[in-house]
Amino acid sequence: MEKNKRDWPLWEVFIRSKQGLDHKHVGSLHASDAEMAIENARDVYTRRMEGVSIWVVESKYLHASNPDEEGALYESAKSKIYRHPTFYNIPESVGHM
Amino acid sequence: MDNIVDLEKHFQDRIDAEQRIEPKEWMPDAYRKTLIRQISQHAHSEIIGMLPERNWLTRAPSLNRKAVLLAKIQDEGGHGLYLYSAAETLGVTREDLLDDLHSGKAKYSSIFNYPTLTWADMGAIGWLVDGAAIMNQVPLCRTSYGPYARAMVRVCKEESFHQRQGYEIMMALCEGSEEQKQMAQDALNRWWWPVLMMFGPKDDASANSEMSLKWKIKRFSNDELRQRFVDMSIPQIEYLGLTVPDSELKWNAERGHYDFGEVNWNEFWEVVKGNGPCNHQRLETRKKVYEEGEWVREAALAYADKQQVLRESSQHVA
Ligand SMILES: [Fe+2]
Ligand SMILES: [Fe+2]
């Protein structure tokens, strides 16, 4: 087989499982263009009515946070417990709040 | 955390704490290699597995059976795609993976190197081959590598219909004429031992097992899963009124499991080495189909490039 053939680009697929819910990442696939990516996503990821809407984005346009910066990015939220409603003591007698 | 010892310890701690490992995170080279080998082997098995069933598509006994078989085969193609995508997150290309399959460097499950001689084989494959695959795959839904685990959740959801439609084919044959029942028994006789081989070599002869268990890529040993499969299958075989082609099979009350005879490991290794009844045919078919599709892949890219140019020039005008 000849080498150096160009692979079809990789696309990330997001599916809205039902009206009113967010699109959720379900996986990826190869396709030559966006139209084919959507058609392939239909065949690969919604054979059992798993979706009512499909988003595709070419993987090279997706930017991700660096796992090595986990500490710098998320650590500081840990100490801010006053951001949660359970931090505050409200007497039961005042009713639901 | 710079040195490799620390990195490896941190990695193993995360595995031990049941944390999933994700694509861009640090992992030992051997872990990455093991995953690429296992996931791609698994993907290859899904797509090569379409071939023995394809053999009966145009000869299915009713339109309903044909639609079901077609849906099952399409699922297997989908499983291949989920798994190739998971492997690609580890830094290999689809092209390389397929090249390794076509050159014979990469393996696929030896079960698909056996021929499908009668319609009953569609029953036996769905029920037993997919059944054994499920037994292997359910624990993989919790495997330590995130994209692999997520792909397996999807696969497992779809597999259960495969097994049930196969068993239903066997039930229909066993409730039919004497000849049909005989056909079902013959299929069971031919598939039983190769299916037990699907769980891989015995634990003491399995080279990759120990590390895979430590890294939680695998969750149970080959022999454990094989035993579970035998225990699960016997009542199903009895319900059909069929018999297992194993004179040593008997219930062991002390162990709470069935004892069963020794798999013919010579046959297993011969098939793995490429000398099974259909190895050559499967690979040739696969390569031929891939080569014949080359112009389609090229044409689609050429079309996409052209559309891109058209879009850009119309933007300039506007
Ligand atoms: Fe499958
Ligand atoms: Fe299946």
Side-chain angles (χ1 to χ4, degrees), chain B residues 46 53 72-73 75-76 79 112 125-126 129-131 133-134 137 155 158-163 165:
Chain B
E46 299 284 354
E53 292 183 304
K72 179 191 187 287
I73 295 174
D75 274 354
E76 306 301 3
H79 297 174
F112 301 119
I125 287 181
V129 174
D130 289 67
I134 292 171
Q137 289 169 1
V155 168
E158 299 182 353
E159 280 298 342
S160 136
F161 127 66
H162 299 177
Q163 190 181 20
Q165 65 85 33

Side-chain angles (χ1 to χ4, degrees), chain B residues 20 46-47 102 158-159 166 192 202 211 225 230 293 309:
Chain B
R20 296 286 174 273
E46 299 284 354
I47 65 165
H102 298 151
E158 299 182 353
E159 280 298 342
W192 178 253
K202 284 176 88 80
M211 273 324 271
L225 291 168
V230 171
V309 172

Side-chain angles (χ1 to χ4, degrees), chain A residues 3 5-6 30 47-48, chain B residues 75 88 95 99 294 305:
Chain A
K3 238 352 251 184
K5 290 273 190 289
R6 193 150 56 100
H30 289 273
R47 286 195 302 281
R48 289 178 177 76
Chain B
D75 274 354
E88 284 171 85
E95 198 75 34
D99 282 350
E294 183 62 46
D305 288 346

Side-chain angles (χ1 to χ4, degrees), chain A residues 1 3 5-10 26 28-30 32-33 35-36 43-45 47-48 50 67, chain B residues 25 74-75 81-82 85 88 94-96 99 154 158 161 290-291 294 297-298 300-301 304-305:
Chain A
M1 234 158 283
K3 238 352 251 184
K5 290 273 190 289
R6 193 150 56 100
D7 252 341
W8 284 347
L10 192 65
V26 293
S28 51
L29 50 76
H30 289 273
S32 60
D33 60 18
E35 195 188 334
M36 189 199 277
D43 289 344
V44 179
Y45 293 108
R47 286 195 302 281
R48 289 178 177 76
E50 291 96 333
Chain B
E25 295 167 355
Q74 194 188 8
D75 274 354
L81 287 172
Y82 306 153
S85 299
E88 284 171 85
R94 178 80 56 96
E95 198 75 34
D96 286 340
D99 282 350
R154 232 161 234 297
E158 299 182 353
F161 127 66
Y290 189 70
E291 276 161 21
E294 183 62 46
R297 292 190 294 278
E298 273 176 21
L301 270 183
D305 288 346

Side-chain angles (χ1 to χ4, degrees), chain B residues 161-172:
Chain B
F161 127 66
H162 299 177
Q163 190 181 20
R164 291 169 70 108
Q165 65 85 33
Y167 194 68
E168 204 199 65
I169 290 174
M170 295 302 267
M171 276 167 49

Side-chain angles (χ1 to χ4, degrees), chain B residues 59-86:
Chain B
R59 289 175 286 161
S62 72
L63 197 53
N64 175 51
R65 296 285 186 205
K66 184 175 180 171
V68 169
L69 187 58
L70 194 57
K72 179 191 187 287
I73 295 174
Q74 194 188 8
D75 274 354
E76 306 301 3
H79 297 174
L81 287 172
Y82 306 153
L83 289 159
Y84 283 124
S85 299

Side-chain angles (χ1 to χ4, degrees), chain B residues 47-60:
Chain B
I47 65 165
I48 293 286
M50 297 163 86
L51 301 178
E53 292 183 304
R54 178 187 82 155
N55 189 31
W56 281 90
L57 209 40
T58 54
R59 289 175 286 161

